[in-house]
Amino acid sequence: MKVLVTGGAGYIGSHTVRELINSGHRVTVIDDLSKGHALAVDPRATLFRGSTGDSALLRRCLDAEQIEAVLHFAANIEVSESVLDPVRYYRNNFANTLSLLGAMVSAGVKRFVFSSTAAVYGNPVETPIDELHPSQPISPYGRSKMMAELAIKDVCHAHGLSATILRYFNVAGAGPDGSIGEDHHPESHLIPRILRAARDVTDIQIFGTDYDTPDGTCIRDYVHVVDLAHAHVLALEKLKEGSCQVLNIGSETGFSVREVITACEQVVGTKLGVIEGHRRDGDPAILVASSRRIREDLGWRARYPEIRTIVQHAWHWHSTHPLGFRGKINPSVEAHSSTLEI
Ligand code: UDP
């Protein structure tokens, strides 16, 4: 299939681009490169630099590349930033999704996979969280994604779009060959922050040790980024005509912050300095997914379910790329820049 991937230069998008191409699809990427990295994009894809809010670019791309399906990752993802700058989040995550949906309707593109988040659920009222759990997001980030989901459902109804909305829990790891991985600025996620602390011999701070959990620290459900990417390929290939379905993607297993630190220490082979800090605003104590539906509907199974493997792959990336993509010497750079259409 000819597939457009928005945000394909980002962490999850770039792993999905690679999975799509390895599965035989032809991929075009739109990314404004504000957070993503051109070097993260598989050189077999065509990269257009620009925003999903740019209707002319979208039209050109959908028509010229004869796009048959869109996977939409481009978004802002920081909860705390969304509280400080909600307009940016509603614009990029909601309004730009509308602009993309409008362009798809005009171009007659009927297949859509959307990158959503457990943040649409808000504070869990029960755990594990299944797709019928109430959606009461507690941040502009979660609300901007929920609004996008509502718009997608309406477009499915009105225009016969077929869509799968994937709600991610926690994502970590890197390409097992160590060539692509997580490179956020600033980095807020636990596993890369622990691994950077290990690499740079600094301390890691735990945000809250007084939660109602067995060891007092928050519990999260981690999925390997390659397994998440694979879920997108399955979602695309198994889209049911005229349907709009929501699927959680998680491992159904929770690890506390302290357990993740221990797993990282075992992989890295050193003991880390730990600072027990205050809670971070907006962190629920436990977020664990029920992913029964995605296993039944898509036949999805994690290839890398072990937290140790997730951390090993992440460590391979971080330890060999201390500057992330900025320090990456890649023989494909020249071939790659020739596909950068601006
Ligand atoms: N966390 C932490 N120290 C850090 C980064 C994160 O204790 O330096 C905690 C955070 O409070 C949360 C968990 O680790 O309980 C996972 O956070 P992350 O930002 O990775 O993902 P989130 O669950 O917020 O999407």
Side-chain angles (χ1 to χ4, degrees), residues 19-70:
E19 271 309 290
L20 284 165
I21 294 173
N22 288 344
S23 304
H25 300 286
R26 203 180 88 190
V27 177
T28 302
V29 169
I30 291 185
D31 198 299
D32 66 4
L33 301 181
S34 60
K35 302 278 182 189
H37 310 274
L39 282 173
V41 180
D42 191 302
R44 296 170 289 175
T46 303
L47 171 60
F48 288 84
R49 182 176 187 173
S51 161
T52 42
D54 181 343
S55 304
L57 173 67
L58 288 175
R59 259 199 315 276
R60 184 154 69 90
C61 217
L62 293 175
D63 290 345
E65 305 291 322
Q66 299 172 310
I67 296 298
E68 298 163 281
V70 177

Side-chain angles (χ1 to χ4, degrees), residues 5 86 88 114 144 146 155 172 181 201 205 212 250 342:
V5 178
R88 181 204 291 222
F114 181 62
S144 67
M146 189 177 85
V155 173
V201 199
Q205 186 169 356
D212 186 14
I342 301 176

Side-chain angles (χ1 to χ4, degrees), residues 170 188-190 193 205-207 218 220 257 280 283:
N170 290 63
S188 65
H189 294 122
L190 180 64
R193 280 171 67 95
Q205 186 169 356
I206 300 180
F207 298 145
C218 288
R220 294 290 181 272
V257 173
R280 190 172 69 175
D283 275 339

Side-chain angles (χ1 to χ4, degrees), residues 164-245:
T164 294
I165 292 166
L166 293 175
R167 289 183 180 156
Y168 314 160
F169 282 66
N170 290 63
V171 187
D177 67 354
S179 63
I180 53 175
E182 193 163 9
D183 185 8
H184 292 125
H185 298 278
E187 183 55 77
S188 65
H189 294 122
L190 180 64
I191 290 177
R193 280 171 67 95
I194 298 171
L195 296 178
R196 283 184 188 185
R199 191 192 60 207
D200 302 341
V201 199
T202 55
D203 296 331
I204 178 73
Q205 186 169 356
I206 300 180
F207 298 145
T209 53
D210 57 350
Y211 284 95
D212 186 14
T213 59
D215 70 15
T217 67
C218 288
I219 292 177
R220 294 290 181 272
D221 178 339
Y222 295 86
V223 168
H224 195 294
V225 66
V226 171
D227 286 323
L228 181 59
H230 184 227
H232 287 80
V233 177
L234 287 176
L236 171 69
E237 293 176 346
K238 298 196 173 185
L239 261 181
K240 294 188 196 89
E241 203 177 320
S243 75
C244 182
Q245 64 172 354

